Amino acid sequence: MTDLIALVDRFGRRHNSLRISITDRCNIRCFYCMPEHNAEFLPRSSVLTFEEIERLARLMVHRCGVRDIRITGGEPLVRRDCVELVAMLAKIEGLADLSMTTNGILLREKAVELRSAGLQRLNISLDTLDEATFVKITRRSGVDQVIAGIDAAIEAGFESIKLNALAIRGISESELVGLVRFAIERGVTLRFIEFMPLDSDRAWQSADVLSGDACLELLSRAFGQVTPAGREHLSSPAETFVLSSEGREGTIGIIRSVTRPFCGDCNRLRLTADGGLRNCLFAQTETPLRDAMRDGCDDDMLIQKIQQCVGEKHAAHGIDSNNFRPPDRPMHAIGG
Ligand code: SAM
Ligand code: SF4
């Protein structure tokens, strides 16, 4: 049996969680992620094939101790035959958790197939329940499709479904309460995520972030007591809180990526759709694995490159520092 090569960085953080972006394309255009017009996408030949993704995933699970994989994008459900890829990854022995983040637009048609293929958990993005606000955020119509997708996913029986809402000043204040009620009615967890500087337009300003504190304040005004219930789990970025709406109790999460970064507990690596391994959302460099594979690199050589990438990880993202510079790639091209 081959020895396990744990992916531990200079600061003692062990990396056992991998996010795989399977496309940089998307069927909507959220302003906090993509440009409204003329988005640039990778040529198809640059994108990893399913076999290449599976090879890297298998290697990182079997040889490097990766325990969970999240499939993301761009919008993962726009990649043709994505269910087939789910089935390939679900077969990797030793993988404890396989999940996906999606905008939900195509979920109504795909939920049952995804579950049957072995997908365990889903995070669905939902910033608003109001169509006009949805159009303002995404520059496309479709909130009803997303809601139908959420309901189809609940029916399909995933192990867990979470809804993710970005917390954006000037937009989210009027949405929070309705979103919490919606989530509690359906028995799913809603998490608010502070808006980060990853938009293609480079328009982000710290004043645009609706902080976790501000969200909690608004929620306690609407629901009364909001009781802290600890972190979801040790390496989870979400702090959880319990509140009740019309006699029903529910859990919400707050992810304070900007105002209270959790870099010290980060256990994540990210693989871009074109095979760049990133040690941080905000990394300025990537380790290109696609060409290494296409040039015939063997597994040991790939592992050396993966270790090197982990070794170069910085202590923190530094959004709060004066010389912070956002990464060259926007969110849809990294994989959130
Ligand atoms: N298209 C899928 C979706 O939207 O769920 C998956 C990819 S998307 C990049 C993953 C997550 O990143 C979504 O929950 C989205 O809301 C979040 N996200 C996108 N841009 C962000 C930003 N600038 N700051 C914080 N989160 C962001
Ligand atoms: Fe698409 Fe997700 Fe980015 Fe919105 S956040 S534009 S749904 S990739």
Side-chain angles (χ1 to χ4, degrees):
M1 208 180 124
T2 337
D3 285 342
L4 194 72
I5 301 166
L7 300 173
V8 181
D9 72 5
R10 291 175 288 164
F11 307 96
R13 293 172 295 195
R14 191 184 173 134
H15 295 77
N16 53 17
S17 175
L18 176 66
R19 301 196 159 210
I20 303 179
S21 170
I22 63 170
T23 179
D24 61 342
R25 292 167 194 252
C26 188
N27 44 4
I28 56 177
R29 293 285 182 275
C30 306
F31 76 85
Y32 45 71
C33 177
M34 290 186 77
E36 181 168 9
H37 303 292
N38 305 322
E40 283 175 23
F41 298 116
L42 293 165
R44 288 188 199 281
S45 59
S46 297
V47 173
L48 294 185
T49 63
F50 286 176
E51 288 69 27
E52 288 168 334
I53 294 174
E54 198 246 7
R55 175 177 176 198
L56 287 174
R58 190 175 285 281
L59 192 62
M60 290 176 76
V61 171
H62 287 174
R63 302 277 305 276
C64 307
V66 163
R67 305 253 318 140
D68 61 74
I69 290 180
R70 173 170 296 277
I71 300 168
T72 181
E75 172 48 38
L77 297 182
V78 302
R79 177 134 181 203
R80 193 180 309 149
D81 300 327
C82 58
V83 176
E84 205 177 289
L85 176 68
V86 168
M88 287 163 77
L89 298 179
K91 287 197 188 90
I92 298 177
E93 315 83 54
L95 180 65
D97 185 50
L98 182 62
S99 61
M100 178 182 279
T101 302
T102 170
N103 63 27
I105 298 262
L106 296 173
L107 199 49
R108 185 172 44 180
E109 300 102 85
K110 296 240 163 38
V112 169
E113 281 179 86
L114 288 167
R115 183 70 186 113
S116 308
L119 191 71
Q120 291 160 265
R121 299 188 304 117
L122 266 181
N123 284 2
I124 307 165
S125 302
L126 180 73
D127 299 327
T128 178
L129 297 168
D130 173 63
E131 177 66 9
T133 311
F134 186 88
V135 171
K136 187 167 140 194
I137 295 173
T138 68
R139 292 101 159 214
R140 297 286 187 276
S141 57
V143 78
D144 289 345
Q145 269 168 273
V146 178
I147 293 171
I150 293 169
D151 288 334
I154 293 171
E155 274 290 299
F158 286 90
E159 287 171 24
S160 132
I161 294 176
K162 290 186 186 133
L163 305 181
N164 287 340
L166 276 212
I168 306 162
R169 194 184 291 277
I171 295 182
S172 310
E173 293 89 335
S174 53
E175 311 305 307
L176 298 186
V177 172
L179 288 169
V180 169
R181 292 212 168 100
F182 175 89
I184 291 181
E185 272 164 25
R186 284 165 171 77
V188 298
T189 300
L190 172 73
R191 303 165 341 147
F192 294 106
I193 306 175
E194 291 177 346
F195 175 23
M196 296 184 276
L198 292 165
D199 52 319
S200 300
D201 296 342
R202 300 285 172 98
W204 180 95
Q205 297 183 10
S206 56
D208 299 330
V209 180
L210 184 68
S211 70
D213 284 353
C215 293
L216 288 170
E217 164 85 38
L218 287 163
L219 294 176
S220 52
R221 253 188 255 156
F223 296 102
Q225 194 155 356
V226 178
T227 313
R231 287 270 190 101
E232 258 172 3
H233 50 81
L234 211 57
S235 53
S236 163
E239 299 161 64
T240 61
F241 297 83
V242 175
L243 50 73
S244 84
S245 164
E246 289 160 11
R248 279 191 75 173
E249 208 168 74
T251 301
I252 59 136
I254 302 275
I255 304 186
R256 306 188 213 222
S257 355
V258 177
T259 63
R260 199 182 289 172
F262 33 83
C263 305
D265 294 326
C266 182
N267 65 346
R268 294 180 183 173
L269 294 172
R270 294 184 147 80
L271 184 65
T272 64
D274 56 344
L277 190 68
R278 300 178 65 89
N279 55 31
C280 176
L281 259 180
F282 295 95
Q284 295 292 345
T285 57
E286 286 175 4
T287 302
L289 297 179
R290 181 199 62 210
D291 290 347
M293 285 191 289
R294 291 184 186 174
D295 290 344
C297 237
D298 68 15
D299 287 355
D300 290 330
M301 284 153 84
L302 285 174
I303 289 177
Q304 269 179 26
K305 289 178 186 292
I306 295 167
Q307 277 184 301
Q308 190 188 338
C309 175
V310 173
E312 288 165 1
K313 183 158 171 155
H314 289 234
H317 60 43
I319 295 176
D320 50 354
S321 91
N322 287 335
N323 52 14
F324 172 77
R325 185 163 63 87
D328 293 338
R329 291 189 193 241
M331 187 60 132
H332 74 99
I334 296 175

